[in-house]
Amino acid sequence: ARQQQQQQQQLRRATEALRTPAVAALRRPHPSIAPSLERLRAALQELEERLASAAACWADHPPLRPVWTEFVAAAAHTAEFGAALLVLEANISAAGRSRLWGQERAGWWRGEVAGATSVAAVASSLTLLDEVGCGWEALQKALEPPAAGKRAPVPSARLGRGGGRFRPRVCEVEFAASRGSPLPLLEWCSESPDGCQLRAIVAGQLVSLQPQLDGSWKSERLSAAPFVDLHGLTPAEAMGRRVTAWYEEEGAEGEPPRDVPYSGHVIDSSGCQSGKRGLSVRFDYALDEAGAQEELYLGNDDDWLYGLHAMKPERGSA
């Protein structure tokens, strides 16, 4: 009980410190890993809620739970998520622990979590605790209603007051959506203005990622993602670019329709950010009724790529 009170005090002080404006500004994670951190947060919250629903954690010190919840909500770095995971494991009741989770395995696991330096390392430890450390089969048998004609099992005193209820595992994406907080998505873009950077859409923002000599990444938020998908470029960078667009045309008699490529260059991209209009392209060999080079707008429903292409790539390979 004394150890749990100390955990509660330490978590409360840490949460207060993390939420001060000066510290929050220093702790802002790179946009490139923000979606991964949010997935980890949701996965940790899902495991805790599942354990708490089964009355398999916090039984010895209930006041610790709201403090832990507040700390996880404020966490923004790998070490903070690892610390929250360690506190959660330490407060799983005997009924919630698997018989496979002996002192040797648990001790090794705690060392791995304490030394974790990446989101993937903490997520792997969380999965191991969920799948090996928690006694879900025993909890399910003790808490689920018995089948027709079968006697209900005697509730274990180790489950705590009020027993509990068993809830099946759900993925972090479904869990976050069920709580009204959909996870932000990271979408890698197929284009960048040069070979020294990558582009991605992170939570609705166009982000540039540049590798550094020390192995880290320099990230820069460029703008809100254009309403018209420019495949990773800004409207200014798309200006003047060569493009190829494919349009379905009727084949010869007895042949199916086919996609025909048309090449041209971008003459206006000013409407792409707001979505008022698409990417204005002047085509090389397509003529309008007046005999001038045809100009058309390309939008999100059109098939097009930067550069000159004779063959249309398979979907997802561009």
Side-chain angles (χ1 to χ4, degrees):
R2 182 177 180 182
Q3 181 182 6
Q4 289 164 333
Q5 289 176 351
Q6 290 175 345
Q7 289 175 347
Q8 180 178 341
Q9 293 171 357
Q10 291 169 353
L11 285 177
R12 180 175 285 116
R13 286 197 295 266
T15 303
E16 292 173 355
L18 296 180
R19 287 187 168 172
T20 59
V23 175
L26 293 173
R27 295 171 57 255
R28 188 175 295 117
H30 278 203
S32 59
I33 66 168
S36 298
L37 288 175
E38 291 305 317
R39 291 181 74 105
L40 180 58
R41 189 192 320 277
L44 187 56
Q45 291 171 333
E46 191 278 334
L47 175 60
E48 186 276 337
E49 185 183 271
R50 192 154 27 100
L51 284 166
S53 296
C57 65
W58 314 121
D60 294 334
H61 195 66
L64 183 56
R65 186 186 186 190
V67 179
W68 182 92
T69 301
E70 189 176 1
F71 176 80
V72 171
H77 279 268
T78 302
E80 295 161 11
F81 286 103
L85 184 59
L86 287 171
V87 172
L88 177 62
E89 187 272 342
N91 286 275
I92 298 176
S93 66
R97 294 179 182 273
S98 166
R99 298 186 179 212
L100 299 175
W101 203 248
Q103 290 185 354
E104 185 176 349
R105 185 190 292 267
W108 168 85
W109 178 88
R110 290 163 189 157
E112 291 292 306
V113 177
T117 58
S118 68
V119 174
V122 177
S124 178
S125 296
L126 187 153
T127 301
L128 185 63
L129 175 63
D130 190 4
E131 296 182 352
V132 180
C134 298
W136 294 117
E137 290 186 7
L139 287 171
Q140 184 174 6
K141 290 179 181 178
L143 298 175
E144 279 195 335
K150 289 192 176 181
R151 234 174 130 181
V154 178
S156 171
R158 299 186 303 168
L159 288 176
R161 297 176 183 176
R165 62 180 180 81
F166 179 81
R167 177 177 69 74
R169 179 189 296 116
V170 296
C171 75
E172 65 275 9
V173 175
E174 295 178 8
F175 178 76
S178 70
R179 300 182 67 173
S181 304
L183 293 176
L185 300 178
L186 181 147
E187 180 183 352
W188 292 106
C189 301
S190 59
E191 296 288 337
S192 64
D194 53 56
C196 299
Q197 60 180 300
L198 298 174
R199 292 285 174 87
I201 304 294
V202 181
Q205 297 289 315
L206 179 61
V207 176
S208 169
L209 298 167
Q210 296 179 322
Q212 305 297 296
L213 293 177
D214 62 359
S216 64
W217 289 81
K218 177 184 177 181
S219 63
E220 180 183 1
R221 299 187 185 189
L222 302 176
S223 66
F227 185 86
V228 176
D229 182 12
L230 298 181
H231 301 185
L233 301 187
T234 64
E237 293 166 342
M239 277 294 298
R241 290 266 181 158
R242 299 289 296 176
V243 298
T244 301
W246 285 267
Y247 294 96
E248 186 179 277
E249 296 184 358
E250 293 293 332
E253 187 175 351
E255 294 182 0
R258 60 194 182 96
D259 290 326
V260 179
Y262 289 87
S263 61
H265 65 279
V266 178
I267 60 173
D268 186 15
S269 58
S270 58
C272 294
Q273 193 73 38
S274 63
K276 291 182 179 179
R277 54 186 177 272
L279 202 62
S280 181
V281 174
R282 179 177 294 149
F283 290 97
D284 298 333
Y285 305 111
L287 304 179
D288 60 20
E289 294 180 355
Q293 287 176 292
E294 189 167 17
E295 297 178 8
L296 293 175
Y297 287 108
L298 298 179
N300 294 335
D301 295 330
D302 296 303
D303 289 326
W304 65 275
L305 294 173
Y306 293 109
L308 299 179
H309 302 270
M311 301 294 294
K312 182 180 179 180
E314 295 292 332
R315 186 172 295 275
S317 63

Short mmCIF file of all heavy atoms in Angstrom, two decimals, residues 179-242:
data_model
loop_
_atom_site.label_atom_id
_atom_site.label_comp_id
_atom_site.label_asym_id
_atom_site.label_seq_id
_atom_site.Cartn_x
_atom_site.Cartn_y
_atom_site.Cartn_z
N ARG A 179 -14.33 5.70 -28.40
CA ARG A 179 -14.30 6.75 -27.39
C ARG A 179 -14.44 8.15 -28.00
O ARG A 179 -14.30 9.14 -27.31
CB ARG A 179 -12.98 6.68 -26.61
CG ARG A 179 -12.80 5.36 -25.89
CD ARG A 179 -11.53 5.30 -25.09
NE ARG A 179 -11.54 6.21 -23.96
CZ ARG A 179 -10.59 6.25 -23.03
NH1 ARG A 179 -9.57 5.41 -23.10
NH2 ARG A 179 -10.66 7.10 -22.05
N GLY A 180 -14.70 8.19 -29.30
CA GLY A 180 -14.87 9.48 -29.97
C GLY A 180 -13.59 10.21 -30.25
O GLY A 180 -13.61 11.42 -30.49
N SER A 181 -12.46 9.49 -30.24
CA SER A 181 -11.15 10.12 -30.52
C SER A 181 -10.42 9.32 -31.58
O SER A 181 -9.46 8.59 -31.27
CB SER A 181 -10.31 10.19 -29.24
OG SER A 181 -11.00 10.88 -28.22
N PRO A 182 -10.84 9.42 -32.85
CA PRO A 182 -10.17 8.66 -33.91
C PRO A 182 -8.68 8.97 -33.96
O PRO A 182 -8.25 10.11 -33.74
CB PRO A 182 -10.87 9.13 -35.19
CG PRO A 182 -12.16 9.72 -34.72
CD PRO A 182 -11.92 10.27 -33.36
N LEU A 183 -7.88 7.95 -34.24
CA LEU A 183 -6.44 8.13 -34.27
C LEU A 183 -6.01 8.92 -35.49
O LEU A 183 -6.54 8.72 -36.59
CB LEU A 183 -5.74 6.77 -34.29
CG LEU A 183 -5.90 5.92 -33.03
CD1 LEU A 183 -5.24 4.56 -33.21
CD2 LEU A 183 -5.29 6.64 -31.83
N PRO A 184 -5.02 9.81 -35.34
CA PRO A 184 -4.48 10.50 -36.51
C PRO A 184 -3.73 9.52 -37.39
O PRO A 184 -3.11 8.57 -36.90
CB PRO A 184 -3.53 11.54 -35.91
CG PRO A 184 -3.14 10.97 -34.58
CD PRO A 184 -4.34 10.21 -34.10
N LEU A 185 -3.79 9.74 -38.69
CA LEU A 185 -3.17 8.82 -39.62
C LEU A 185 -1.94 9.44 -40.26
O LEU A 185 -1.87 10.65 -40.48
CB LEU A 185 -4.17 8.43 -40.72
CG LEU A 185 -5.45 7.74 -40.25
CD1 LEU A 185 -6.35 7.46 -41.44
CD2 LEU A 185 -5.12 6.44 -39.52
N LEU A 186 -0.95 8.60 -40.56
CA LEU A 186 0.21 9.01 -41.33
C LEU A 186 0.13 8.37 -42.69
O LEU A 186 -0.03 7.16 -42.80
CB LEU A 186 1.50 8.60 -40.61
CG LEU A 186 2.81 9.00 -41.30
CD1 LEU A 186 3.89 9.31 -40.27
CD2 LEU A 186 3.31 7.92 -42.23
N GLU A 187 0.22 9.16 -43.72
CA GLU A 187 0.15 8.66 -45.09
C GLU A 187 1.38 9.12 -45.85
O GLU A 187 1.61 10.32 -46.04
CB GLU A 187 -1.12 9.18 -45.78
CG GLU A 187 -1.27 8.71 -47.22
CD GLU A 187 -2.49 9.30 -47.88
OE1 GLU A 187 -3.29 9.95 -47.17
OE2 GLU A 187 -2.64 9.13 -49.10
N TRP A 188 2.23 8.16 -46.25
CA TRP A 188 3.42 8.51 -47.02
C TRP A 188 3.03 8.96 -48.41
O TRP A 188 2.14 8.38 -49.03
CB TRP A 188 4.38 7.32 -47.10
CG TRP A 188 4.99 6.96 -45.79
CD1 TRP A 188 4.70 5.89 -45.00
CD2 TRP A 188 6.01 7.69 -45.10
NE1 TRP A 188 5.46 5.91 -43.86
CE2 TRP A 188 6.27 7.00 -43.89
CE3 TRP A 188 6.71 8.87 -45.37
CZ2 TRP A 188 7.21 7.45 -42.97
CZ3 TRP A 188 7.65 9.30 -44.45
CH2 TRP A 188 7.90 8.59 -43.26
N CYS A 189 3.69 9.99 -48.91
CA CYS A 189 3.41 10.53 -50.24
C CYS A 189 4.36 9.91 -51.26
O CYS A 189 5.48 9.52 -50.94
CB CYS A 189 3.56 12.05 -50.24
SG CYS A 189 2.48 12.90 -49.07
N SER A 190 3.92 9.84 -52.50
CA SER A 190 4.72 9.21 -53.55
C SER A 190 5.74 10.16 -54.15
O SER A 190 6.65 9.72 -54.85
CB SER A 190 3.80 8.69 -54.66
OG SER A 190 3.03 9.75 -55.23
N GLU A 191 5.62 11.47 -53.88
CA GLU A 191 6.52 12.44 -54.49
C GLU A 191 7.16 13.34 -53.44
O GLU A 191 6.62 13.54 -52.35
CB GLU A 191 5.76 13.33 -55.49
CG GLU A 191 5.20 12.59 -56.69
CD GLU A 191 6.27 12.15 -57.67
OE1 GLU A 191 7.36 12.77 -57.67
OE2 GLU A 191 6.03 11.20 -58.42
N SER A 192 8.33 13.87 -53.79
CA SER A 192 8.99 14.93 -53.03
C SER A 192 9.75 15.78 -54.03
O SER A 192 10.07 15.32 -55.14
CB SER A 192 9.94 14.35 -51.98
OG SER A 192 11.00 13.64 -52.60
N PRO A 193 10.06 17.03 -53.70
CA PRO A 193 10.70 17.90 -54.68
C PRO A 193 12.13 17.52 -55.03
O PRO A 193 12.65 17.95 -56.06
CB PRO A 193 10.64 19.28 -54.02
CG PRO A 193 10.52 19.00 -52.56
CD PRO A 193 9.74 17.73 -52.47
N ASP A 194 12.77 16.71 -54.18
CA ASP A 194 14.15 16.29 -54.46
C ASP A 194 14.40 14.97 -53.75
O ASP A 194 13.53 14.43 -53.05
CB ASP A 194 15.16 17.35 -54.02
CG ASP A 194 14.96 17.78 -52.58
OD1 ASP A 194 15.00 16.89 -51.70
OD2 ASP A 194 14.77 18.97 -52.32
N GLY A 195 15.61 14.44 -53.93
CA GLY A 195 15.95 13.15 -53.33
C GLY A 195 16.48 13.23 -51.92
O GLY A 195 16.93 12.22 -51.38
N CYS A 196 16.43 14.41 -51.30
CA CYS A 196 16.98 14.60 -49.96
C CYS A 196 15.92 14.60 -48.87
O CYS A 196 16.24 14.85 -47.70
CB CYS A 196 17.76 15.91 -49.90
SG CYS A 196 19.16 15.99 -51.03
N GLN A 197 14.68 14.35 -49.22
CA GLN A 197 13.62 14.39 -48.22
C GLN A 197 12.48 13.47 -48.63
O GLN A 197 12.36 13.06 -49.78
CB GLN A 197 13.09 15.82 -48.05
CG GLN A 197 12.51 16.42 -49.33
CD GLN A 197 11.99 17.83 -49.12
OE1 GLN A 197 11.09 18.05 -48.31
NE2 GLN A 197 12.55 18.78 -49.87
N LEU A 198 11.67 13.14 -47.63
CA LEU A 198 10.43 12.40 -47.84
C LEU A 198 9.27 13.31 -47.45
O LEU A 198 9.43 14.23 -46.65
CB LEU A 198 10.41 11.13 -46.99
CG LEU A 198 11.49 10.09 -47.28
CD1 LEU A 198 11.41 8.96 -46.25
CD2 LEU A 198 11.35 9.53 -48.68
N ARG A 199 8.12 13.02 -48.01
CA ARG A 199 6.93 13.78 -47.67
C ARG A 199 5.86 12.84 -47.11
O ARG A 199 5.75 11.68 -47.54
CB ARG A 199 6.37 14.50 -48.90
CG ARG A 199 7.27 15.63 -49.43
CD ARG A 199 7.16 16.85 -48.54
NE ARG A 199 8.09 17.92 -48.88
CZ ARG A 199 7.87 18.86 -49.78
NH1 ARG A 199 6.73 18.86 -50.46
NH2 ARG A 199 8.74 19.81 -50.00
N ALA A 200 5.08 13.35 -46.17
CA ALA A 200 4.00 12.56 -45.57
C ALA A 200 2.89 13.50 -45.14
O ALA A 200 3.12 14.69 -44.88
CB ALA A 200 4.51 11.76 -44.37
N ILE A 201 1.68 12.96 -45.06
CA ILE A 201 0.53 13.67 -44.50
C ILE A 201 0.33 13.13 -43.09
O ILE A 201 0.10 11.94 -42.90
CB ILE A 201 -0.75 13.45 -45.33
CG1 ILE A 201 -0.53 13.84 -46.80
CG2 ILE A 201 -1.90 14.23 -44.72
CD1 ILE A 201 -0.28 15.31 -47.02
N VAL A 202 0.47 14.00 -42.10
CA VAL A 202 0.33 13.61 -40.70
C VAL A 202 -0.76 14.46 -40.07
O VAL A 202 -0.62 15.68 -39.95
CB VAL A 202 1.65 13.80 -39.92
CG1 VAL A 202 1.48 13.35 -38.47
CG2 VAL A 202 2.78 13.03 -40.58
N ALA A 203 -1.85 13.79 -39.71
CA ALA A 203 -2.97 14.48 -39.05
C ALA A 203 -3.40 15.71 -39.84
O ALA A 203 -3.64 16.78 -39.29
CB ALA A 203 -2.59 14.87 -37.63
N GLY A 204 -3.47 15.56 -41.18
CA GLY A 204 -3.96 16.64 -42.02
C GLY A 204 -2.93 17.69 -42.38
O GLY A 204 -3.26 18.68 -43.03
N GLN A 205 -1.67 17.48 -41.97
CA GLN A 205 -0.59 18.42 -42.27
C GLN A 205 0.42 17.78 -43.23
O GLN A 205 0.77 16.62 -43.08
CB GLN A 205 0.13 18.85 -40.99
CG GLN A 205 -0.74 19.61 -40.01
CD GLN A 205 -1.08 21.00 -40.51
OE1 GLN A 205 -0.23 21.74 -41.00
NE2 GLN A 205 -2.36 21.38 -40.36
N LEU A 206 0.88 18.57 -44.22
CA LEU A 206 1.93 18.11 -45.12
C LEU A 206 3.27 18.33 -44.43
O LEU A 206 3.59 19.46 -44.03
CB LEU A 206 1.88 18.87 -46.44
CG LEU A 206 2.94 18.50 -47.49
CD1 LEU A 206 2.82 17.03 -47.90
CD2 LEU A 206 2.83 19.40 -48.71
N VAL A 207 4.05 17.25 -44.27
CA VAL A 207 5.28 17.29 -43.49
C VAL A 207 6.45 16.86 -44.35
O VAL A 207 6.34 15.91 -45.14
CB VAL A 207 5.17 16.38 -42.25
CG1 VAL A 207 6.48 16.32 -41.49
CG2 VAL A 207 4.06 16.86 -41.33
N SER A 208 7.58 17.56 -44.20
CA SER A 208 8.83 17.19 -44.86
C SER A 208 9.74 16.53 -43.84
O SER A 208 9.90 17.02 -42.71
CB SER A 208 9.51 18.44 -45.43
OG SER A 208 10.83 18.13 -45.86
N LEU A 209 10.36 15.40 -44.22
CA LEU A 209 11.27 14.67 -43.34
C LEU A 209 12.61 14.52 -44.03
O LEU A 209 12.69 13.96 -45.13
CB LEU A 209 10.69 13.29 -43.00
CG LEU A 209 9.35 13.29 -42.25
CD1 LEU A 209 8.75 11.91 -42.26
CD2 LEU A 209 9.56 13.78 -40.83
N GLN A 210 13.68 15.02 -43.38
CA GLN A 210 15.02 14.98 -43.96
C GLN A 210 15.96 14.21 -43.04
O GLN A 210 16.08 14.55 -41.86
CB GLN A 210 15.55 16.40 -44.18
CG GLN A 210 14.76 17.21 -45.20
CD GLN A 210 15.31 18.62 -45.35
OE1 GLN A 210 15.72 19.25 -44.38
NE2 GLN A 210 15.33 19.10 -46.58
N PRO A 211 16.64 13.15 -43.53
CA PRO A 211 17.59 12.41 -42.69
C PRO A 211 18.82 13.25 -42.38
O PRO A 211 19.30 14.00 -43.24
CB PRO A 211 17.94 11.19 -43.55
CG PRO A 211 17.69 11.63 -44.96
CD PRO A 211 16.55 12.61 -44.90
N GLN A 212 19.32 13.14 -41.15
CA GLN A 212 20.51 13.87 -40.72
C GLN A 212 21.70 12.93 -40.57
O GLN A 212 21.54 11.71 -40.49
CB GLN A 212 20.22 14.58 -39.39
CG GLN A 212 19.00 15.50 -39.42
CD GLN A 212 19.15 16.65 -40.39
OE1 GLN A 212 20.00 17.50 -40.21
NE2 GLN A 212 18.31 16.67 -41.44
N LEU A 213 22.90 13.50 -40.53
CA LEU A 213 24.11 12.69 -40.45
C LEU A 213 24.20 11.89 -39.16
O LEU A 213 24.85 10.83 -39.12
CB LEU A 213 25.35 13.60 -40.58
CG LEU A 213 25.54 14.27 -41.95
CD1 LEU A 213 26.75 15.20 -41.91
CD2 LEU A 213 25.71 13.22 -43.04
N ASP A 214 23.58 12.37 -38.08
CA ASP A 214 23.64 11.65 -36.81
C ASP A 214 22.59 10.55 -36.69
O ASP A 214 22.43 9.94 -35.64
CB ASP A 214 23.51 12.62 -35.64
CG ASP A 214 22.17 13.36 -35.64
OD1 ASP A 214 21.35 13.12 -36.56
OD2 ASP A 214 21.96 14.18 -34.72
N GLY A 215 21.83 10.31 -37.79
CA GLY A 215 20.82 9.26 -37.78
C GLY A 215 19.43 9.74 -37.40
O GLY A 215 18.47 8.97 -37.49
N SER A 216 19.30 10.99 -37.00
CA SER A 216 17.99 11.52 -36.65
C SER A 216 17.30 12.07 -37.90
O SER A 216 17.86 12.04 -39.01
CB SER A 216 18.13 12.63 -35.60
OG SER A 216 18.87 13.72 -36.13
N TRP A 217 16.09 12.58 -37.70
CA TRP A 217 15.32 13.15 -38.81
C TRP A 217 14.94 14.58 -38.46
O TRP A 217 14.52 14.87 -37.34
CB TRP A 217 14.06 12.33 -39.08
CG TRP A 217 14.32 11.00 -39.69
CD1 TRP A 217 14.71 9.86 -39.04
CD2 TRP A 217 14.21 10.67 -41.07
NE1 TRP A 217 14.86 8.84 -39.94
CE2 TRP A 217 14.55 9.29 -41.20
CE3 TRP A 217 13.86 11.38 -42.22
CZ2 TRP A 217 14.55 8.64 -42.41
CZ3 TRP A 217 13.85 10.72 -43.44
CH2 TRP A 217 14.20 9.37 -43.53
N LYS A 218 15.09 15.46 -39.42
CA LYS A 218 14.61 16.83 -39.27
C LYS A 218 13.23 16.92 -39.90
O LYS A 218 13.04 16.55 -41.06
CB LYS A 218 15.57 17.80 -39.97
CG LYS A 218 15.10 19.25 -39.92
CD LYS A 218 16.03 20.16 -40.71
CE LYS A 218 15.53 21.60 -40.71
NZ LYS A 218 16.42 22.48 -41.51
N SER A 219 12.26 17.37 -39.15
CA SER A 219 10.89 17.46 -39.65
C SER A 219 10.46 18.91 -39.74
O SER A 219 10.87 19.75 -38.93
CB SER A 219 9.94 16.67 -38.75
OG SER A 219 9.90 17.24 -37.46
N GLU A 220 9.64 19.19 -40.72
CA GLU A 220 9.12 20.54 -40.93
C GLU A 220 7.69 20.46 -41.42
O GLU A 220 7.39 19.77 -42.40
CB GLU A 220 9.97 21.29 -41.97
CG GLU A 220 9.49 22.70 -42.24
CD GLU A 220 10.29 23.39 -43.33
OE1 GLU A 220 11.22 22.76 -43.88
OE2 GLU A 220 9.99 24.56 -43.63
N ARG A 221 6.81 21.17 -40.73
CA ARG A 221 5.43 21.24 -41.17
C ARG A 221 5.32 22.31 -42.24
O ARG A 221 5.59 23.49 -42.00
CB ARG A 221 4.51 21.56 -40.00
CG ARG A 221 4.54 20.51 -38.90
CD ARG A 221 3.50 20.77 -37.84
NE ARG A 221 3.62 19.82 -36.74
CZ ARG A 221 2.75 19.69 -35.76
NH1 ARG A 221 1.70 20.49 -35.74
NH2 ARG A 221 2.93 18.81 -34.81
N LEU A 222 4.91 21.90 -43.43
CA LEU A 222 4.88 22.82 -44.57
C LEU A 222 3.57 23.60 -44.64
O LEU A 222 3.58 24.81 -44.83
CB LEU A 222 5.11 22.04 -45.87
CG LEU A 222 6.42 21.26 -45.93
CD1 LEU A 222 6.50 20.46 -47.22
CD2 LEU A 222 7.61 22.21 -45.83
N SER A 223 2.46 22.90 -44.53
CA SER A 223 1.15 23.54 -44.65
C SER A 223 0.08 22.49 -44.36
O SER A 223 0.38 21.31 -44.19
CB SER A 223 0.95 24.10 -46.06
OG SER A 223 0.88 23.05 -47.01
N ALA A 224 -1.14 22.94 -44.34
CA ALA A 224 -2.24 21.98 -44.31
C ALA A 224 -2.22 21.21 -45.63
O ALA A 224 -1.83 21.74 -46.67
CB ALA A 224 -3.58 22.69 -44.14
N ALA A 225 -2.59 19.94 -45.58
CA ALA A 225 -2.59 19.13 -46.80
C ALA A 225 -3.55 19.75 -47.81
O ALA A 225 -4.68 20.11 -47.47
CB ALA A 225 -3.01 17.70 -46.48
N PRO A 226 -3.11 19.92 -49.07
CA PRO A 226 -4.01 20.51 -50.08
C PRO A 226 -5.29 19.69 -50.22
O PRO A 226 -5.28 18.46 -50.09
CB PRO A 226 -3.18 20.45 -51.36
CG PRO A 226 -1.75 20.39 -50.90
CD PRO A 226 -1.79 19.62 -49.62
N PHE A 227 -6.38 20.37 -50.47
CA PHE A 227 -7.65 19.68 -50.67
C PHE A 227 -7.56 18.73 -51.86
O PHE A 227 -8.08 17.62 -51.83
CB PHE A 227 -8.77 20.71 -50.89
CG PHE A 227 -10.14 20.11 -51.00
CD1 PHE A 227 -10.88 19.86 -49.87
CD2 PHE A 227 -10.67 19.78 -52.23
CE1 PHE A 227 -12.14 19.29 -49.95
CE2 PHE A 227 -11.93 19.21 -52.34
CZ PHE A 227 -12.68 18.97 -51.20
N VAL A 228 -6.90 19.18 -52.92
CA VAL A 228 -6.63 18.32 -54.07
C VAL A 228 -5.30 17.62 -53.83
O VAL A 228 -4.29 18.27 -53.55
CB VAL A 228 -6.58 19.12 -55.38
CG1 VAL A 228 -6.20 18.21 -56.56
CG2 VAL A 228 -7.92 19.78 -55.64
N ASP A 229 -5.28 16.30 -53.86
CA ASP A 229 -4.08 15.51 -53.58
C ASP A 229 -3.01 15.80 -54.63
O ASP A 229 -3.16 15.46 -55.80
CB ASP A 229 -4.44 14.02 -53.57
CG ASP A 229 -3.24 13.15 -53.24
OD1 ASP A 229 -2.20 13.70 -52.80
OD2 ASP A 229 -3.34 11.92 -53.41
N LEU A 230 -1.90 16.41 -54.20
CA LEU A 230 -0.79 16.71 -55.10
C LEU A 230 0.35 15.73 -54.91
O LEU A 230 1.49 15.99 -55.31
CB LEU A 230 -0.30 18.14 -54.87
CG LEU A 230 -1.32 19.24 -55.16
CD1 LEU A 230 -0.72 20.61 -54.93
CD2 LEU A 230 -1.86 19.13 -56.59
N HIS A 231 0.08 14.58 -54.30
CA HIS A 231 1.02 13.47 -54.17
C HIS A 231 2.26 13.83 -53.36
O HIS A 231 3.31 13.22 -53.52
CB HIS A 231 1.44 12.95 -55.55
CG HIS A 231 0.30 12.49 -56.39
ND1 HIS A 231 0.47 11.90 -57.62
CD2 HIS A 231 -1.04 12.51 -56.19
CE1 HIS A 231 -0.71 11.59 -58.16
NE2 HIS A 231 -1.64 11.96 -57.28
N GLY A 232 2.16 14.85 -52.51
CA GLY A 232 3.28 15.21 -51.65
C GLY A 232 3.89 16.56 -51.92
O GLY A 232 4.72 17.03 -51.14
N LEU A 233 3.53 17.20 -53.01
CA LEU A 233 4.08 18.52 -53.34
C LEU A 233 3.14 19.62 -52.85
O LEU A 233 1.94 19.40 -52.68
CB LEU A 233 4.29 18.65 -54.84
CG LEU A 233 5.23 17.65 -55.51
CD1 LEU A 233 5.46 18.02 -56.97
CD2 LEU A 233 6.56 17.53 -54.77
N THR A 234 3.69 20.79 -52.66
CA THR A 234 2.87 21.96 -52.38
C THR A 234 2.37 22.52 -53.72
O THR A 234 2.93 22.20 -54.78
CB THR A 234 3.68 23.04 -51.66
OG1 THR A 234 4.72 23.50 -52.53
CG2 THR A 234 4.31 22.49 -50.38
N PRO A 235 1.34 23.36 -53.72
CA PRO A 235 0.88 23.94 -54.98
C PRO A 235 1.99 24.68 -55.74
O PRO A 235 2.07 24.59 -56.97
CB PRO A 235 -0.24 24.90 -54.54
CG PRO A 235 -0.78 24.25 -53.30
CD PRO A 235 0.42 23.67 -52.61
N ALA A 236 2.86 25.38 -55.02
CA ALA A 236 3.96 26.10 -55.69
C ALA A 236 4.93 25.13 -56.34
O ALA A 236 5.44 25.39 -57.44
CB ALA A 236 4.68 26.99 -54.67
N GLU A 237 5.22 23.99 -55.67
CA GLU A 237 6.16 23.02 -56.23
C GLU A 237 5.57 22.28 -57.44
O GLU A 237 6.31 21.79 -58.29
CB GLU A 237 6.57 22.01 -55.15
CG GLU A 237 7.40 22.62 -54.03
CD GLU A 237 7.52 21.71 -52.82
OE1 GLU A 237 6.70 20.77 -52.70
OE2 GLU A 237 8.40 21.93 -51.99
N ALA A 238 4.24 22.20 -57.49
CA ALA A 238 3.60 21.49 -58.61
C ALA A 238 3.59 22.32 -59.89
O ALA A 238 3.46 21.76 -60.99
CB ALA A 238 2.17 21.11 -58.22
N MET A 239 3.75 23.62 -59.77
CA MET A 239 3.69 24.50 -60.95
C MET A 239 4.77 24.12 -61.97
O MET A 239 5.93 23.95 -61.64
CB MET A 239 3.86 25.95 -60.52
CG MET A 239 2.60 26.60 -60.05
SD MET A 239 1.38 26.75 -61.38
CE MET A 239 2.23 27.82 -62.52
N GLY A 240 4.35 24.00 -63.24
CA GLY A 240 5.27 23.72 -64.33
C GLY A 240 5.67 22.27 -64.47
O GLY A 240 6.38 21.91 -65.42
N ARG A 241 5.24 21.41 -63.58
CA ARG A 241 5.61 20.00 -63.63
C ARG A 241 4.96 19.30 -64.83
O ARG A 241 3.83 19.59 -65.19
CB ARG A 241 5.18 19.29 -62.34
CG ARG A 241 5.98 19.70 -61.12
CD ARG A 241 7.12 18.75 -60.92
NE ARG A 241 7.90 19.09 -59.74
CZ ARG A 241 8.67 18.24 -59.09
NH1 ARG A 241 8.73 16.98 -59.51
NH2 ARG A 241 9.36 18.63 -58.06
N ARG A 242 5.72 18.35 -65.39
CA ARG A 242 5.15 17.49 -66.43
C ARG A 242 4.25 16.46 -65.76
O ARG A 242 4.57 15.93 -64.67
CB ARG A 242 6.26 16.77 -67.19
CG ARG A 242 7.22 17.68 -67.92
CD ARG A 242 6.58 18.33 -69.11
NE ARG A 242 6.20 17.36 -70.13
CZ ARG A 242 5.54 17.66 -71.24
NH1 ARG A 242 5.17 18.92 -71.47
NH2 ARG A 242 5.25 16.73 -72.13
#
